[in-house]
Amino acid sequence: MQIRELSVPGAFEITPVQHHDDRGVFLEWFKGPSLAEAIGHPFDLQQANCSVSAAGSLRGIHFADVPPGQAKYVTCLSGSVYDVVVDIRVGSPTFGAWDAVLLDTSDRRAIYIPEGAGHAFLALEDGSTVAYLCSTGYAPGREHGIDPLDPTVGVRWPTTTPDGTELSLLISEKDRAAPSLMQARDSGLLPLAVDVQTYLDGLIN
Protein backbone atom coordinates (compact mmCIF):
# COMPACT_ATOMS: atom_id res chain seq x y z
CA MET A 1 0.00 0.00 0.00
CA GLN A 2 1.39 3.38 -1.05
CA ILE A 3 0.17 6.52 0.73
CA ARG A 4 0.83 9.96 -0.74
CA GLU A 5 -0.14 13.29 0.81
CA LEU A 6 -2.09 15.55 -1.52
CA SER A 7 -1.63 19.31 -1.97
CA VAL A 8 -4.38 19.82 0.63
CA PRO A 9 -2.55 19.14 3.92
CA GLY A 10 -3.90 16.14 5.80
CA ALA A 11 -5.53 14.59 2.72
CA PHE A 12 -4.01 11.44 1.25
CA GLU A 13 -4.18 9.24 -1.85
CA ILE A 14 -3.95 5.52 -1.06
CA THR A 15 -2.88 3.04 -3.75
CA PRO A 16 -3.28 -0.62 -2.74
CA VAL A 17 -1.26 -3.59 -3.96
CA GLN A 18 -3.45 -5.80 -6.16
CA HIS A 19 -2.97 -9.54 -6.37
CA HIS A 20 -4.25 -11.03 -9.63
CA ASP A 21 -4.76 -14.66 -10.58
CA ASP A 22 -7.12 -16.69 -12.76
CA ARG A 23 -9.96 -16.13 -10.31
CA GLY A 24 -9.73 -12.34 -10.30
CA VAL A 25 -8.11 -9.88 -7.93
CA PHE A 26 -7.59 -9.42 -4.20
CA LEU A 27 -6.50 -6.26 -2.38
CA GLU A 28 -6.48 -4.63 1.03
CA TRP A 29 -8.22 -1.31 0.43
CA PHE A 30 -8.08 -0.14 4.05
CA LYS A 31 -5.37 -0.80 6.64
CA GLY A 32 -5.85 0.96 9.96
CA PRO A 33 -2.21 0.98 11.13
CA SER A 34 -0.92 2.29 7.79
CA LEU A 35 -3.47 5.09 7.72
CA ALA A 36 -2.87 5.99 11.37
CA GLU A 37 0.85 6.32 10.67
CA ALA A 38 0.11 8.74 7.81
CA ILE A 39 -2.49 10.91 9.55
CA GLY A 40 -0.97 10.82 13.03
CA HIS A 41 -3.87 9.22 14.90
CA PRO A 42 -6.19 6.19 14.62
CA PHE A 43 -9.16 6.41 12.26
CA ASP A 44 -12.27 5.92 14.40
CA LEU A 45 -14.74 4.15 12.09
CA GLN A 46 -18.30 5.04 13.13
CA GLN A 47 -20.34 4.73 9.94
CA ALA A 48 -20.02 3.17 6.47
CA ASN A 49 -21.93 4.66 3.53
CA CYS A 50 -22.47 3.60 -0.06
CA SER A 51 -23.77 5.64 -3.01
CA VAL A 52 -24.57 4.58 -6.56
CA SER A 53 -24.55 7.37 -9.13
CA ALA A 54 -25.41 7.92 -12.76
CA ALA A 55 -22.76 9.40 -15.04
CA GLY A 56 -22.58 13.16 -14.51
CA SER A 57 -23.82 13.08 -10.91
CA LEU A 58 -21.93 15.71 -8.93
CA ARG A 59 -22.14 15.35 -5.16
CA GLY A 60 -20.71 18.03 -2.85
CA ILE A 61 -18.82 20.07 -1.84
CA HIS A 62 -19.83 18.76 1.61
CA PHE A 63 -18.32 19.26 5.06
CA ALA A 64 -19.22 18.98 8.75
CA ASP A 65 -18.76 21.25 11.76
CA VAL A 66 -15.55 20.79 13.75
CA PRO A 67 -15.51 19.45 16.37
CA PRO A 68 -15.94 16.65 15.64
CA GLY A 69 -16.07 17.03 11.86
CA GLN A 70 -16.19 13.94 9.70
CA ALA A 71 -13.12 12.33 8.19
CA LYS A 72 -13.81 10.06 5.23
CA TYR A 73 -11.95 7.18 3.62
CA VAL A 74 -13.43 6.78 0.15
CA THR A 75 -13.05 4.27 -2.69
CA CYS A 76 -14.95 3.32 -5.84
CA LEU A 77 -16.15 -0.27 -6.10
CA SER A 78 -17.66 -0.05 -9.59
CA GLY A 79 -17.38 2.50 -12.38
CA SER A 80 -15.21 5.57 -11.81
CA VAL A 81 -15.39 8.93 -10.07
CA TYR A 82 -13.31 12.09 -9.96
CA ASP A 83 -12.94 12.67 -6.23
CA VAL A 84 -12.03 16.11 -4.89
CA VAL A 85 -10.84 17.47 -1.54
CA VAL A 86 -10.99 21.22 -0.84
CA ASP A 87 -9.19 23.10 1.93
CA ILE A 88 -11.96 25.14 3.56
CA ARG A 89 -10.16 25.66 6.88
CA VAL A 90 -10.14 29.40 7.49
CA GLY A 91 -6.61 30.48 8.34
CA SER A 92 -4.96 27.57 6.55
CA PRO A 93 -2.05 28.57 4.28
CA THR A 94 -3.72 26.59 1.51
CA PHE A 95 -7.26 27.87 2.10
CA GLY A 96 -9.32 27.45 -1.08
CA ALA A 97 -6.91 24.97 -2.66
CA TRP A 98 -8.17 21.66 -4.02
CA ASP A 99 -6.76 18.37 -5.23
CA ALA A 100 -8.30 15.31 -6.88
CA VAL A 101 -7.86 11.56 -7.21
CA LEU A 102 -9.38 9.35 -9.90
CA LEU A 103 -11.07 6.45 -8.14
CA ASP A 104 -11.76 3.53 -10.48
CA THR A 105 -11.55 -0.25 -10.83
CA SER A 106 -8.14 -0.13 -12.51
CA ASP A 107 -5.85 1.27 -9.81
CA ARG A 108 -8.53 0.86 -7.10
CA ARG A 109 -7.22 3.84 -5.17
CA ALA A 110 -8.80 5.43 -2.12
CA ILE A 111 -8.73 8.98 -0.81
CA TYR A 112 -8.63 10.17 2.78
CA ILE A 113 -10.55 13.39 3.49
CA PRO A 114 -9.55 14.89 6.87
CA GLU A 115 -11.76 16.63 9.39
CA GLY A 116 -12.43 20.22 8.36
CA ALA A 117 -11.98 19.66 4.62
CA GLY A 118 -14.63 19.76 1.90
CA HIS A 119 -15.41 16.69 -0.21
CA ALA A 120 -17.07 16.23 -3.57
CA PHE A 121 -17.04 13.80 -6.47
CA LEU A 122 -18.25 13.52 -10.03
CA ALA A 123 -19.42 10.13 -11.33
CA LEU A 124 -17.85 9.40 -14.71
CA GLU A 125 -19.87 6.26 -15.51
CA ASP A 126 -23.37 4.98 -14.88
CA GLY A 127 -23.58 2.82 -11.79
CA SER A 128 -20.47 4.29 -10.20
CA THR A 129 -20.51 2.84 -6.69
CA VAL A 130 -18.66 4.68 -3.95
CA ALA A 131 -18.01 3.34 -0.45
CA TYR A 132 -17.19 5.75 2.40
CA LEU A 133 -15.82 4.92 5.80
CA CYS A 134 -16.66 7.80 8.16
CA SER A 135 -15.17 8.83 11.50
CA THR A 136 -18.53 10.12 12.77
CA GLY A 137 -22.16 9.40 12.00
CA TYR A 138 -24.41 11.61 9.90
CA ALA A 139 -25.67 14.64 11.83
CA PRO A 140 -28.00 16.76 9.65
CA GLY A 141 -27.69 19.92 11.72
CA ARG A 142 -23.91 19.87 11.46
CA GLU A 143 -23.63 19.09 7.73
CA HIS A 144 -23.08 21.90 5.20
CA GLY A 145 -22.19 22.50 1.59
CA ILE A 146 -20.39 24.81 -0.81
CA ASP A 147 -21.32 25.36 -4.45
CA PRO A 148 -19.33 22.71 -6.39
CA LEU A 149 -19.18 25.06 -9.38
CA ASP A 150 -17.93 28.06 -7.40
CA PRO A 151 -15.37 29.76 -9.68
CA THR A 152 -13.37 30.92 -6.66
CA VAL A 153 -12.60 27.30 -5.83
CA GLY A 154 -12.29 26.53 -9.54
CA VAL A 155 -12.42 22.75 -9.55
CA ARG A 156 -11.65 21.55 -13.07
CA TRP A 157 -14.37 18.94 -13.36
CA PRO A 158 -14.05 16.41 -16.20
CA THR A 159 -16.38 17.03 -19.13
CA THR A 160 -16.40 13.54 -20.66
CA THR A 161 -16.75 9.91 -19.61
CA PRO A 162 -13.78 7.52 -19.94
CA ASP A 163 -14.99 6.58 -23.44
CA GLY A 164 -15.21 10.22 -24.51
CA THR A 165 -18.97 10.76 -24.20
CA GLU A 166 -19.90 14.26 -23.08
CA LEU A 167 -21.09 14.48 -19.48
CA SER A 168 -24.25 16.33 -18.47
CA LEU A 169 -24.03 17.42 -14.85
CA LEU A 170 -26.69 16.24 -12.40
CA ILE A 171 -26.65 18.33 -9.21
CA SER A 172 -29.15 18.25 -6.38
CA GLU A 173 -31.18 21.36 -5.63
CA LYS A 174 -29.55 21.50 -2.21
CA ASP A 175 -26.06 21.55 -3.69
CA ARG A 176 -27.05 24.08 -6.35
CA ALA A 177 -28.32 26.40 -3.61
CA ALA A 178 -25.17 26.09 -1.50
CA PRO A 179 -23.19 29.27 -0.84
CA SER A 180 -19.88 30.11 -2.46
CA LEU A 181 -16.66 29.58 -0.52
CA MET A 182 -16.42 33.27 0.37
CA GLN A 183 -20.08 33.53 1.33
CA ALA A 184 -19.65 30.53 3.62
CA ARG A 185 -16.51 32.08 5.10
CA ASP A 186 -18.09 35.48 5.68
CA SER A 187 -21.13 33.91 7.36
CA GLY A 188 -18.94 31.98 9.80
CA LEU A 189 -19.99 28.61 8.39
CA LEU A 190 -16.51 27.28 7.69
CA PRO A 191 -14.24 25.58 10.24
CA LEU A 192 -11.25 27.49 11.57
CA ALA A 193 -7.87 25.90 10.96
CA VAL A 194 -6.90 26.45 14.60
CA ASP A 195 -10.03 24.66 15.83
CA VAL A 196 -9.39 21.73 13.51
CA GLN A 197 -5.81 21.42 14.73
CA THR A 198 -6.90 21.59 18.37
CA TYR A 199 -9.38 18.79 17.75
CA LEU A 200 -6.77 16.66 15.96
CA ASP A 201 -4.24 17.24 18.74
CA GLY A 202 -6.84 15.84 21.12
CA LEU A 203 -7.09 12.67 19.05
CA ILE A 204 -3.34 12.17 19.31
CA ASN A 205 -3.36 12.60 23.07
Side-chain angles (χ1 to χ4, degrees):
M1 177 175 283
Q2 296 180 338
I3 301 180
R4 177 179 70 89
E5 189 166 22
L6 300 174
S7 59
V8 173
F12 293 86
E13 171 195 85
I14 300 94
T15 304
V17 176
Q18 300 186 60
H19 304 278
H20 296 267
D21 62 22
D22 293 340
R23 299 167 298 172
V25 62
F26 173 84
L27 64 143
E28 297 171 335
W29 72 276
F30 174 82
K31 295 182 72 173
S34 298
L35 181 64
E37 182 178 356
I39 66 177
H41 60 82
F43 180 77
D44 184 16
L45 174 59
Q46 293 295 318
Q47 185 169 309
N49 301 333
C50 180
S51 67
V52 182
S53 302
S57 296
L58 178 51
R59 299 178 184 265
I61 302 166
H62 299 151
F63 65 98
D65 290 338
V66 180
Q70 187 184 65
K72 299 175 183 176
Y73 190 95
V74 185
T75 196
C76 185
L77 304 178
S78 179
S80 58
V81 303
Y82 187 74
D83 201 286
V84 170
V85 57
V86 182
D87 192 345
I88 60 169
R89 299 165 290 197
V90 177
S92 167
T94 55
F95 177 75
W98 63 275
D99 207 341
V101 175
L102 176 64
L103 305 180
D104 59 18
T105 55
S106 176
D107 294 313
R108 301 184 187 277
R109 291 189 175 99
I111 184 172
Y112 175 76
I113 311 293
E115 291 90 348
H119 176 239
F121 70 82
L122 173 64
L124 304 178
E125 303 176 56
D126 284 335
S128 291
T129 303
V130 173
Y132 323 58
L133 305 180
C134 303
S135 66
T136 58
Y138 176 62
R142 305 179 64 83
E143 306 284 337
H144 311 286
I146 294 167
D147 179 2
L149 303 180
D150 179 6
T152 300
V153 179
V155 176
R156 295 187 294 274
W157 296 107
T159 58
T160 60
T161 67
D163 66 7
T165 302
E166 184 175 354
L167 282 171
S168 295
L169 295 183
L170 302 170
I171 306 175
S172 72
E173 290 301 320
K174 181 179 179 180
D175 287 345
R176 284 189 182 277
S180 69
L181 179 69
M182 295 310 176
Q183 287 171 334
R185 182 199 64 183
D186 293 345
S187 67
L189 196 61
L190 301 181
L192 301 180
V194 64
D195 291 342
V196 174
Q197 191 57 55
T198 298
Y199 176 72
L200 294 178
D201 289 345
L203 296 180
I204 297 171
N205 300 328

